[in-house]
């Protein structure tokens, strides 16, 4: 059969399998009574938690390790320091997009998106998805500029040091490492909470054990291994989401399908109207709480993309010609995950009147509770598996990101400037072990402080948002001044934290006390997030205009050097200036247009009109989510296979290639 024809058939078979699985009557899955509350730790036996956290983790570690060895044997891939930390800078569009989707699919993507759906209705999933997609779409602009101006970079901090010197480098290194700590903390807070919530497994133990399998395959294969693992994990996540979609909308035993869902959600709003929503309805975009969350989400997530080495690393690893396409495709496909999952499962929790305490909601237990109510133990296992995939794939991205920062921005910069490739790989692997163990300890500390996934997610922009605009201007604007950019980040952080605390103290509902509750209030989070990103940007821009000095971009190419890359490999990553300029213009147009559509063109007319969905418009909304996730699944699953077909054919043919990097 022709390969091009077989791909749609395989995709159709996957979807049909999901539909067929979900089409089994829910009574077979022993769906429980959902009005009696969600009992933590009782949905599944504890051994299933151990089987997934330890057993599945080891299975994936073995699979990825074998895949790395196959590449070394048949495709001539060697683990030099460049390959370990940059994947040879030759990753194509499909795998770049899949890696971005995977790295951006945190525990919060699956849990917090449904939390805001449960709280605000359909506006929650939309603002989660739109508010966290535009950063990836716009980051494509920085990614292509990195390829043009600093093609030899291993980390974004190397660019900062080359422009500003050691003092600014150390300041932004602190922001970068804080970002990695916040992201890994959220991954493990969400992951361990769900493992504990579904199986009763000790939450601290789960936080320590989740990273172990990730450490193993990252140690063996470096960045390329994380890309392959990302791809496999993302396939599982999409298949689980498609299964839930089919269970909710095609199997009418419990939900009643689209029409039944609509009637139940409307009835739920009559019993529990949403404060700040038009007519108190769940099915409206006119939601004060949803819009406020959207603003916080947009601001906070600029920090966790622009200040996170994991995304710069994906830009560095991608082929120049694939960079922009990979980021635009990745951002568009990622949108489907929180939008469809939360629109499906978050609203299912409302429709089925799943009884959760406010604390359980903030812990991210809406999806596990809804899945358990819908499909019993099978649903709980699927959520646990999907979440484990998200936590480990995003966790591997953070591991290799921190490894690169320690290796190139601390060890090679300050301790051993003449380090060999072998020494750099050794430091990278040591860092992976240290941070892999340390991230579990960090999660346990945060749990002991009483911090939830929701709190950390909303606060992240306050901590790191001030560095966003200074970092972006470093690669985009030749007039960006060293002192202005550095002070923008430092003073912006102070302003953000001060605004956060002052606002919390001024809230009348809390009697002027500064507590986790007052700090976690939407108003405190909103003003703190906005103050940080705006003040940091204003200081950097105004200070740079006052200094009025231009930077010569050629200095970046001279100051940032490669360690071990052959002339043949260097030729693969070279791209003529004209091609890169075209890619830059495409990234501006593509990222700009998609951003305007997602945050203005699509939601604003629905908000301004105060429109409350009827059955027809709700059906269209559901249809958009289902089509979007289906198309995204197709691209993420099959494009990497199409692009890697020659290498796959070579492996199956049994022929070996020596000394060739892919």
């Amino acid at each position: 059969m022709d390969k091009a024809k077989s791909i749609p058939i395989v995709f159709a078979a996957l979807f049909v399998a999901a539909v067929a699985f979900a089409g089994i009557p829910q009574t077979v899955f022993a769906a429980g009574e959902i009005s009696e509350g969600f009992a933590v730790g009782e949905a599944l036996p504890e051994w299933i938690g151990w089987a997934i956290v330890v057993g599945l983790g080891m299975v994936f570690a073995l699979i990825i390790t074998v895949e790395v060895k196959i590449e070394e044997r048949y495709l001539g891939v060697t683990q030099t320091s460049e390959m370990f930390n940059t994947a040879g800078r030759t990753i194509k569009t499909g795998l770049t997009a899949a890696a971005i989707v995977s790295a951006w699919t945190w525990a919060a993507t699956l849990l917090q998106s449904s939390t805001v759906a449960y709280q605000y209705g359909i506006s929650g999933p939309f603002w989660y998805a739109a508010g966290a997609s535009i950063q990836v779409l716009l980051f494509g602009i920085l990614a292509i500029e990195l390829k043009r101006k600093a093609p030899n970079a291993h980390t974004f901090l190397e660019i900062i040091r080359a422009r500003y010197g050691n003092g600014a480098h150390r300041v932004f290194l602190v922001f970068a490492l804080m970002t990695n700590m916040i992201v890994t903390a959220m991954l493990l807070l969400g992951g361990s909470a769900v493992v504990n919530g579904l199986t009763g497994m000790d939450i601290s133990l789960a936080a320590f054990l989740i990273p172990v399998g990730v450490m193993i395959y990252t140690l063996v294969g470096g960045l390329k291994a994380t890309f392959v693992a990302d791809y496999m994990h993302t396939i599982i996540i999409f298949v689980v989401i498609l299964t839930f979609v089919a269970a909710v909308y095609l199997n009418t035993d419990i939900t009643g399908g689209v029409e039944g869902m609509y009637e139940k959600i409307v009835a739920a709003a009559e019993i529990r109207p949403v404060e700040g929503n038009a007519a108190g309805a769940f099915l409206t975009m006119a939601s004060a709480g949803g819009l406020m969350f959207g603003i916080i989400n947009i601001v906070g997530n600029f920090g966790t993309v622009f200040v996170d080495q994991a995304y710069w690393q994906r830009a560095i690893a991608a082929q120049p010609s694939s960079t922009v396409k990979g980021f635009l495709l990745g951002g568009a496909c990622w949108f489907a995950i929180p939008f469809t999952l939360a629109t499906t499962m978050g609203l299912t929790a409302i429709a089925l009147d799943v009884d959760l305490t406010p604390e359980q909601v903030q812990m991210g237990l809406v999806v596990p509770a809804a899945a358990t109510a819908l499909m019993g133990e099978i649903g709980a296992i699927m959520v646990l598996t999907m979440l484990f995939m998200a936590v480990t794939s995003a966790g591997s991205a953070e591991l290799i990101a921190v490894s690169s920062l320690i290796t190139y921005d601390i060890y090679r910069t300050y301790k051993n400037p003449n380090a060999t490739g072998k020494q750099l790989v050794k430091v990278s692997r040591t860092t992976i072990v240290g941070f892999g163990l340390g991230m579990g300890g960090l999660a346990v500390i945060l749990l002991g402080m009483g911090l939830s996934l929701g709190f950390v997610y909303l606060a992240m922009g306050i901590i790191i948002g001030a560095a966003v605009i200074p970092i972006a201007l470093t690669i985009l604007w030749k007039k960006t001044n060293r002192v202005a950019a550095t002070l923008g980040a430092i003073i912006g952080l102070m302003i953000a934290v001060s605004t956060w605390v002052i606002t919390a103290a001024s809230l009348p509902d809390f009697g002027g006390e500064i507590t986790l509750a007052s700090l976690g209030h939407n108003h405190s989070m909103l003003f703190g997030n906005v103050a940080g990103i705006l003040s940091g940007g204003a200081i950097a821009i105004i200070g740079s205009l006052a200094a009025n000095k231009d930077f010569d971009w050629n200095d970046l190419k001279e100051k940032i050097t490669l360690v071990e890359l052959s002339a043949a490999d260097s030729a693969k990553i070279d791209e003529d200036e004209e091609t890169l300029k075209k890619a830059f213009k495409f990234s501006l147009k593509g990222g700009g247009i998609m951003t305007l559509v997602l945050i203005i063109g699509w939601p604003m007319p629905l908000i301004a009109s105060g429109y409350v969905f009827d059955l027809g418009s709700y059906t269209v909304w559901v249809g958009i989510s289902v089509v979007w996730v289906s198309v995204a699944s197709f691209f993420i699953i099959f494009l990497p296979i199409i692009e890697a077909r020659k290498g796959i054919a070579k492996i199956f043919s049994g022929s070996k290639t020596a000394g060739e990097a892919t």
Side-chain angles (χ1 to χ4, degrees):
M1 182 184 291
D2 181 73
K3 286 182 180 178
K5 293 180 179 178
S6 66
I7 289 172
I9 293 173
V10 173
F11 179 71
L14 277 173
F15 186 73
V16 168
V19 172
F21 182 78
I24 301 172
Q26 272 100 335
T27 51
V28 174
F29 301 127
E33 288 294 328
I34 38 74
S35 59
E36 297 178 359
F38 179 71
V40 172
E42 295 183 10
L44 295 169
E46 186 175 340
W47 70 264
I48 292 182
W50 284 90
I52 290 178
V53 170
V54 178
L56 193 58
M58 291 300 103
V59 168
F60 267 92
L62 179 62
I63 291 172
I64 302 302
T65 301
V66 170
E67 188 276 336
V68 168
K69 296 303 179 183
I70 289 173
E71 279 199 339
E72 292 176 357
R73 180 179 178 86
Y74 292 100
L75 301 181
V77 175
T78 53
Q79 285 301 335
T80 64
S81 62
E82 292 291 336
M83 176 59 71
F84 192 88
N85 287 290
T86 71
R89 305 171 193 262
T90 55
I91 302 298
K92 295 179 181 177
T93 302
L95 201 54
T96 298
I100 290 165
V101 169
S102 184
W104 204 211
T105 303
W106 303 348
T109 306
L110 307 176
L111 304 178
Q112 185 69 12
S113 59
S114 291
T115 296
V116 290
Y118 188 77
Q119 292 172 324
Y120 309 123
I122 62 166
S123 67
F126 177 85
W127 281 120
Y128 190 102
S133 291
I134 62 173
Q135 295 83 357
V136 175
L137 299 173
L138 293 175
F139 189 83
I141 299 169
L142 301 187
I144 200 63
E145 284 297 88
L146 179 145
K147 292 295 187 184
R148 289 179 62 198
K149 297 168 181 173
N152 296 335
H154 307 87
T155 71
F156 76 93
L157 290 166
E158 286 183 326
I159 301 170
I160 287 174
R161 182 170 180 264
R163 275 202 72 167
Y164 305 146
N166 288 345
H169 177 256
R170 291 189 179 100
V171 169
F172 285 100
L173 176 61
V174 172
F175 275 94
L177 291 174
M178 280 197 303
T179 302
N180 294 126
M181 291 174 68
I182 290 170
V183 173
T184 51
M186 283 192 291
L187 291 172
L188 294 178
L189 282 174
S192 59
V194 172
V195 171
N196 170 259
L198 289 174
T199 70
M201 183 178 177
D202 183 81
I203 193 167
S204 299
L205 196 56
F208 270 108
L209 291 176
I210 286 172
V212 173
V214 180
M215 286 167 47
I216 294 173
Y217 66 71
T218 309
L219 275 172
V220 174
L223 183 61
K224 183 64 178 292
T226 73
F227 273 63
V228 176
D230 288 350
Y231 170 68
M232 296 172 65
H233 292 173
T234 305
I235 290 176
I236 293 173
I237 290 170
F238 272 117
V239 170
V240 171
I241 292 174
L242 286 169
T243 304
F244 283 146
V245 165
V248 170
Y249 299 122
L250 299 183
N251 188 330
T252 60
D253 284 6
I254 291 180
T255 64
V258 176
E259 185 174 351
M261 283 284 290
Y262 175 79
E263 292 171 353
K264 288 179 174 64
I265 294 169
V266 170
E270 293 175 357
I271 299 170
R272 179 170 68 93
V274 185
E275 184 180 352
N277 280 22
F282 287 104
L283 298 178
T284 180
M285 283 294 293
S287 168
L291 182 59
M292 190 178 296
F293 167 76
I295 297 170
I296 297 171
N297 199 38
I298 290 170
V299 174
N301 280 305
F302 268 109
T304 47
V305 173
F306 284 45
V307 194
D308 190 344
Q309 168 61 17
Y311 299 94
W312 292 90
Q313 204 139 8
R314 274 142 182 76
I316 290 165
Q319 289 180 343
S321 58
S322 300
T323 305
V324 174
K325 291 182 287 185
F327 274 86
L328 290 180
L329 180 61
C333 290
W334 178 87
F335 179 95
I337 292 178
F339 181 58
T340 306
L341 179 67
T343 298
T344 302
M345 299 304 287
L347 296 186
T348 295
I350 296 169
L352 299 185
D353 191 26
V354 171
D355 187 10
L356 292 168
T357 67
E359 292 75 19
Q360 289 172 336
V361 171
Q362 282 302 309
M363 287 176 69
L365 297 179
V366 172
V367 173
T372 304
L374 186 71
M375 301 172 68
E377 288 191 354
I378 296 295
I381 291 172
M382 290 174 67
V383 167
L384 199 55
T385 303
M386 177 176 65
L387 185 82
F388 184 76
M389 295 298 101
V391 170
T392 52
S393 59
S396 67
E398 296 304 311
L399 272 177
I400 199 70
V402 172
S403 167
S404 295
L405 292 177
I406 300 298
T407 301
Y408 289 98
D409 289 289
I410 294 180
Y411 179 74
R412 190 189 182 205
T413 298
Y414 298 112
K415 186 172 178 62
N416 187 4
N418 299 315
T420 64
K422 287 185 177 180
Q423 288 174 320
L424 294 177
V425 171
K426 183 179 179 180
V427 172
S428 296
R429 287 177 166 150
T430 302
T431 304
I432 287 168
V433 174
F435 188 67
L437 296 175
M439 67 167 67
L442 174 63
V444 172
I445 292 171
L446 294 178
L447 286 167
M449 294 170 61
L451 298 183
S452 66
L453 170 64
F455 185 95
V456 178
Y457 183 84
L458 294 173
M460 63 187 176
I462 297 170
I463 307 301
I464 59 178
V468 170
I469 295 177
I471 288 171
L473 293 177
T474 299
I475 194 71
L476 293 175
W477 193 28
K478 64 182 179 182
K479 290 186 179 296
T480 309
N481 176 263
R482 169 180 61 87
V483 176
T486 308
L487 288 180
I490 296 172
I491 297 175
L493 170 60
M494 295 178 181
I495 292 173
V497 173
S498 299
T499 304
W500 183 29
V501 173
I502 291 169
T503 306
S506 68
L507 295 174
D509 293 348
F510 301 94
E513 292 186 9
I514 300 173
T515 63
L516 286 180
S518 62
L519 289 170
H521 192 274
N522 270 356
H523 285 96
S524 306
M525 292 293 190
L526 174 64
F527 288 116
N529 271 274
V530 173
I533 196 167
L534 292 184
S535 60
I539 294 167
I541 292 170
I542 294 170
S544 297
L545 289 173
N548 196 28
K549 292 182 180 179
D550 291 348
F551 177 75
D552 183 358
W553 295 116
N554 289 322
D555 285 358
L556 295 181
K557 296 179 181 179
E558 295 173 5
K559 292 180 179 179
I560 303 174
T561 58
L562 300 171
V563 181
E564 42 184 0
L565 200 67
S566 67
D569 291 333
S570 296
K572 289 181 182 180
I573 62 173
D574 282 340
E575 200 87 18
D576 66 272
E577 181 68 13
E578 193 60 34
T579 301
L580 291 173
K581 282 183 178 179
K582 288 180 180 177
F584 176 69
K585 291 178 181 177
F586 178 72
S587 68
L588 280 175
K589 290 179 182 178
I593 291 171
M594 292 174 73
T595 297
L596 290 174
V597 168
L598 288 177
I599 65 173
I600 296 176
W602 184 348
M604 290 309 165
L606 294 171
I607 293 172
S609 65
Y611 181 68
V612 178
F613 287 19
D614 57 18
L615 177 58
S617 50
Y618 172 66
T619 302
V620 171
W621 192 267
V622 169
I624 291 171
S625 71
V626 173
V627 170
W628 201 315
V629 78
S630 300
V631 173
S633 301
F634 176 82
F635 276 109
I636 294 301
I637 293 172
F638 296 110
L639 185 56
I641 296 174
I642 294 170
E643 292 178 336
R645 61 190 181 278
K646 291 182 180 178
I648 294 171
K650 185 177 289 187
I651 290 171
F652 280 105
S653 70
S655 59
K656 300 179 183 178
T657 304
E660 181 183 320
T662 56

